[in-house]
Amino acid sequence: MPVITYSEALRQALREAMTNDPRVFIIGEDVVHYDSAYGVTKGFEKEFGPERIKDMPIAEAGYAGLGIGAAMNGLRPIVEMMTTNFAILALDMIINHAAKLHYMFGGQFTCPIVFRMPNGYGQLSATHSQAFDNYYAYMPGLKVVVPGTPYDAKGLMKAAIEDPDPVIFIEHTGIYNIKGEVPEESYTVPIGKSNLLRDGKDVTIVGYGRMIPYCQQAVETLASEGIDAALVDLRTIRPLDMEPVLESFRKTNRAVIATEEWTSVGVGSEIAARLYTEGFDHLDAPIWRVGFDEVPMPYAKNLEAHVVPNADSVIQAVKNVLAGKTQKIRQQ
Amino acid sequence: MEKQDLLADYRTMVLIRSFEEHCQQQYTRARIGGFLHLYVGQEAVAVGAIGALKAQDHLVTHYRDHGHALARGLEPKPLMAELFGRSTGTGKGKGGSMHFADKNKNFWGGYAIVGAHLLLAMGIAYSIKYKREVLGQADQDGVVMCFFGDGATNGGEFYEAVSMAALYKLPIVFLCENNEFAMGTPLSVHTSVTEIHKKASPFMPGERVNGNDVEEMRARALYAVNHARTEGPYFLEAMTYRLRGHSAADPQMYRTRDDINARRSGDPIALLKQKLIDQNLLTEKQAKQIDKEVEKEMDVVVQFAEESPAPDLSEAWTEIYSKPL
Ligand SMILES: Cc1ncc(C[n+]2csc(CCOP(=O)(O)OP(=O)(O)O)c2C)c(N)n1
Ligand SMILES: [Mg+2]
């Protein structure tokens, strides 16, 4: 099977959809003349023509609304937001409109749209290094997909474009270049299905998106030290498929939740709550959560590295859980 | 172009007025809940402007949407049922007063976040052009007409909408109903550019029209719609006045009864009635007859809403997604 990058996997899915369905079109900032901020749709204008992929003005609500209106009227827009930081300017469009249309008009309208947006950081300071996964995952009416492997990136993108409802597709600048096996042929990965990536008997690590490569590293290191960790990739954070997580947790009785977000009131908080409520009888030790330290993101290299999670943070959390320690979340 | 039937317009305006009066009554009796924004005093705008649209044209509006829905020909029964929160309503009782819609009439709904729906309207216009030019659907020649208030022209979404509509030369008419208030805030308090159409003037042609004169409204809307269909976006600012509160529960501390009475001379229904009588197209007796007929129709409409079943509780959980999870 070919080994390709996460970015190339997305590109394959997008190209396939663009080729097969003329209703699919891409809009976003700097997707044409700049050749797309992270290169995912590089060269698409040559391939598909200027009407199928269009540079948008820096008006996030504006082109989100353009996409939603077009989706309501039967097209299949893919809206690329340069990063999740800027996408929050379109929250009204996404939350008050895309997520609500179908319901509040009694099912008369649908909104088949995909919003692509990357999280990420890299000495970009406070406004350019955030994660808002929980904002979208909070909202009935949205589906929120966060692939952590190239295989899932392609299959979930195909599923997102084919889905008849609004899908928030969260990528990550830190993993566009990771590699993995990706079939050349067309396939979809179903939205709303978690995936057990590794079975284990000592502890269940739950994560998604950018944390998956870190978790995979952590699991290997832990194995070399004799700790047998299971790893579940949520892949989708709304709808949330807890069954594979609970199934593993019933065997391990211990859990670490690894999400790249501020820990309090995050997606990880929900997973912890579900483990406590649905898995209470199986709980042998306090759950630990791994995330950003709760500070605005600093610029200096050492400070930034200090407050973001990585494979080591996951390893440390696993050891703390196995030692039965209690986590104190620090907010100041 | 078909000649405007002023008598038919008169009847529709009376129908809207009567529908709204019945809404107020039913609200007072607590059969209608939530926010109820009445259209009393602004009837000529909807009837004049929407009469300029063809069946293939599209309409997007805000929460003050009853008049637009009725002018577009939506049946009053499912509208009243929606207000009563009944399963026979246009939104099966999930939307209420602010969210009337009828997909079959290209009535894309009332939206309740001030200024936001201008962007959806712009997107629908974009899709029409895309369907024609990219998908080769030659019959896609519809125009989108988007209604909003004076208060909706200060936020960023307004400027994004007019700017992008102009950039892509979209078939869209922006129609601002300037009723001189944004809730209780007077026009001159909420904007420095009180001639609202000038706010869009760097982007598209536009004009101010007398929104209380259904004939002028129709004539200028026809011009605007034709411009949108053949050249690109157009902006209409319809001057009008809301004779009721912002919503049914508004104590109207921002104006006096005298203020309102002074504006009754501009009541579009009274104006049209006088015009029709002057032109020998209507007599006082016939006008009374129309009132009576409409009144009777409304009794049936209210009765329909009353007798309709409330939605089954399971409805709370349907249509969250079009493909259930
Ligand atoms: C974004 C937003 N802010 C505030 C409100 C509350 N609100 C509803 S209508 C309204 C006034 C709008 O006035 P205008 O646009 O002139 O329309 P009109 O009600 O006069 O028809 C306000 C402040 C809202 N619905 N949405
Ligand atoms: Mg107003």
Side-chain angles (χ1 to χ4, degrees):
Chain A
M1 205 185 290
V3 173
I4 61 170
T5 61
Y6 186 101
S7 174
E8 179 60 27
L10 288 173
R11 194 177 161 74
Q12 284 187 7
L14 291 166
R15 176 181 282 131
E16 201 181 301
M18 289 278 277
T19 306
N20 294 343
D21 187 349
R23 296 173 307 167
V24 175
F25 66 101
I26 297 173
I27 54 175
E29 285 159 36
D30 287 308
V31 294
V32 176
H33 288 81
Y34 190 91
D35 238 358
S36 114
Y38 299 101
V40 174
T41 53
K42 197 170 158 67
F44 270 31
E45 196 214 19
K46 268 216 182 74
E47 202 171 336
F48 297 104
E51 295 308 324
R52 302 289 305 286
I53 178 162
K54 239 184 176 35
D55 277 336
M56 287 288 119
I58 306 164
E60 281 75 14
Y63 62 86
L66 190 164
I68 294 167
M72 289 172 77
N73 198 23
L75 301 183
R76 293 278 177 161
I78 299 170
V79 180
E80 177 176 326
M81 295 277 168
M82 194 176 269
T83 77
T84 51
N85 306 285
F86 317 139
I88 55 176
L89 276 81
L91 274 182
D92 170 44
M93 281 295 128
I94 296 174
I95 288 176
N96 283 327
H97 297 87
K100 303 297 192 294
L101 285 168
H102 190 61
Y103 193 82
M104 76 183 185
F105 294 116
Q108 294 193 64
F109 308 120
T110 58
C111 188
I113 190 168
V114 180
F115 290 96
R116 291 182 50 219
M117 52 180 88
N119 285 340
Y121 55 86
Q123 286 204 273
L124 301 169
S125 189
T127 67
H128 277 50
S129 317
Q130 308 176 82
F132 299 104
D133 311 354
N134 55 340
Y135 285 32
Y136 305 105
Y138 180 60
M139 201 41 61
L142 296 180
K143 295 176 185 175
V144 187
V145 172
V146 201
T149 66
Y151 180 90
D152 286 346
K154 179 170 173 180
L156 282 168
M157 180 57 82
K158 276 305 298 290
I161 298 168
E162 286 169 13
D163 199 276
D165 294 305
V167 178
I168 309 297
F169 197 97
I170 301 177
E171 304 166 14
H172 198 291
T173 59
I175 57 173
Y176 278 134
N177 288 326
I178 60 162
K179 291 190 171 165
E181 290 192 335
V182 177
E184 260 170 275
E185 59 272 18
S186 175
Y187 64 92
T188 56
V189 169
I191 292 175
K193 288 267 172 279
S194 300
N195 187 23
L196 179 73
L197 284 175
R198 185 189 194 273
D199 211 353
K201 60 179 184 0
D202 294 332
V203 61
T204 302
I205 303 173
V206 191
Y208 62 85
R210 201 277 166 260
M211 290 310 292
I212 292 302
Y214 283 146
C215 290
Q216 286 169 321
Q217 265 176 273
V219 161
E220 277 180 34
T221 308
L222 288 165
S224 71
E225 296 175 19
I227 298 169
D228 187 17
L231 173 59
V232 183
D233 180 355
L234 293 173
R235 299 200 288 201
T236 301
I237 53 177
R238 179 177 280 270
L240 194 56
D241 173 23
M242 282 300 287
E243 204 35 56
V245 181
L246 288 162
E247 201 179 310
S248 169
F249 184 67
R250 284 182 212 115
K251 286 189 269 182
T252 62
N253 313 108
R254 290 174 174 79
V256 164
I257 300 159
T259 56
E260 199 193 78
E261 58 176 348
W262 289 287
T263 311
S264 303
V265 205
V267 176
S269 315
E270 178 61 25
I271 296 157
R274 300 276 191 110
L275 286 172
Y276 285 119
T277 52
E278 294 176 43
F280 181 73
D281 291 341
H282 301 275
L283 189 69
D284 275 359
I287 291 166
W288 274 63
R289 285 180 279 158
V290 173
F292 290 142
D293 283 359
E294 301 208 12
V295 298
M297 195 66 71
Y299 164 75
K301 204 170 182 135
N302 66 328
L303 290 181
E304 184 184 67
H306 184 63
V307 302
V308 299
N310 55 25
D312 284 341
S313 349
V314 178
I315 292 167
Q316 196 48 54
V318 166
K319 290 180 177 169
N320 289 338
V321 167
L322 293 177
K325 289 187 186 166
T326 299
Q327 184 179 23
K328 287 271 192 292
I329 303 289
R330 182 178 168 195
Q331 289 191 328
Q332 174 61 62
Chain B
M1 205 62 69
E2 269 180 56
K3 206 174 142 5
Q4 183 173 12
D5 181 347
L6 282 181
L7 210 52
D9 283 355
Y10 178 74
R11 180 181 259 282
T12 309
M13 286 163 65
V14 171
L15 178 86
I16 294 172
R17 176 77 51 101
S18 175
F19 185 90
E20 298 297 60
E21 303 294 359
H22 280 79
C23 287
Q24 177 73 55
Q25 275 172 26
Q26 298 304 323
Y27 180 86
T28 310
R29 290 176 196 163
R31 288 183 177 139
I32 296 174
F35 287 148
L36 179 69
H37 308 92
L38 302 180
Y39 199 59
V40 174
Q42 303 184 205
E43 294 90 346
V45 183
V47 173
I50 293 167
L53 297 179
K54 297 181 176 170
Q56 77 266 29
D57 293 330
H58 305 264
L59 213 144
V60 185
T61 185
H62 59 170
Y63 48 86
R64 195 181 301 286
D65 56 359
H66 303 183
H68 307 129
L70 290 166
R72 184 59 170 173
L74 273 69
E75 289 298 324
K77 280 183 184 172
L79 298 180
M80 191 60 82
E82 185 64 24
L83 297 175
F84 274 57
R86 302 298 162 97
S87 61
T88 51
T90 46
K92 301 182 189 165
K94 293 181 186 178
S97 167
M98 304 193 283
H99 305 302
F100 286 171
D102 186 349
K103 191 176 185 192
N104 295 325
K105 291 205 152 59
N106 287 340
F107 186 76
W108 293 89
Y111 295 83
I113 304 296
V114 168
H117 65 292
L118 279 76
L119 293 171
L120 304 192
M122 184 267 291
I124 293 168
Y126 188 94
S127 67
I128 292 168
K129 204 169 175 203
Y130 186 99
K131 284 181 175 181
R132 192 172 59 235
E133 293 175 3
V134 182
L135 302 183
Q137 300 175 4
D139 60 336
Q140 286 285 335
D141 70 339
V143 164
V144 179
M145 182 176 276
C146 179
F147 288 86
F148 50 93
D150 48 293
T153 63
N154 297 312
E157 290 178 323
F158 169 81
Y159 293 96
E160 295 181 31
V162 292
S163 155
M164 291 174 75
L167 181 62
Y168 304 124
K169 300 189 173 57
L170 301 181
I172 183 166
V173 175
F174 291 101
L175 202 160
C176 177
E177 296 191 56
N178 185 348
N179 61 11
E180 299 178 30
F181 286 98
M183 242 168 107
T185 307
L187 185 63
S188 61
V189 176
H190 75 64
T191 181
S192 64
V193 184
T194 52
E195 284 178 79
I196 300 281
H197 66 101
K198 290 191 174 163
K199 294 188 178 192
S201 64
F203 302 101
M204 65 192 70
E207 62 187 290
R208 185 176 251 198
V209 304
N210 181 357
N212 287 343
D213 179 344
V214 75
E215 236 179 333
E216 178 177 335
M217 195 65 237
R218 173 71 45 79
R220 297 321 296 161
L222 279 169
Y223 178 86
V225 167
N226 182 54
H227 182 95
R229 212 182 303 282
T230 53
E231 290 179 61
Y234 198 88
F235 199 99
L236 286 175
E237 176 190 9
M239 299 308 294
T240 184
Y241 195 77
R242 150 166 77 62
L243 292 169
R244 292 286 186 140
H246 169 70
S247 73
D250 177 3
Q252 306 195 62
M253 302 306 284
Y254 49 88
R255 60 182 181 183
T256 65
R257 188 138 293 283
D258 287 346
D259 290 336
I260 300 170
N261 285 335
R263 300 299 292 268
R264 289 198 194 279
S265 58
D267 181 334
I269 293 182
L271 285 175
L272 181 57
K273 183 176 159 192
Q274 195 53 51
K275 185 186 270 186
L276 289 169
I277 288 174
D278 291 348
Q279 294 177 5
N280 293 321
L281 293 169
L282 184 75
T283 62
E284 277 291 354
K285 199 168 149 214
Q286 285 166 331
K288 282 226 170 63
Q289 182 62 23
I290 291 173
D291 289 346
K292 235 174 73 214
E293 281 165 19
V294 167
E295 194 65 21
K296 222 160 124 193
E297 185 184 346
M298 281 307 131
D299 289 343
V300 178
V301 164
V302 171
Q303 193 185 349
F304 171 82
E306 241 164 20
E307 289 171 358
S308 290
D312 191 87
L313 291 183
S314 64
E315 271 296 319
W317 282 94
T318 64
E319 290 153 353
I320 303 163
Y321 299 95
S322 67
K323 186 175 114 194
L325 301 176

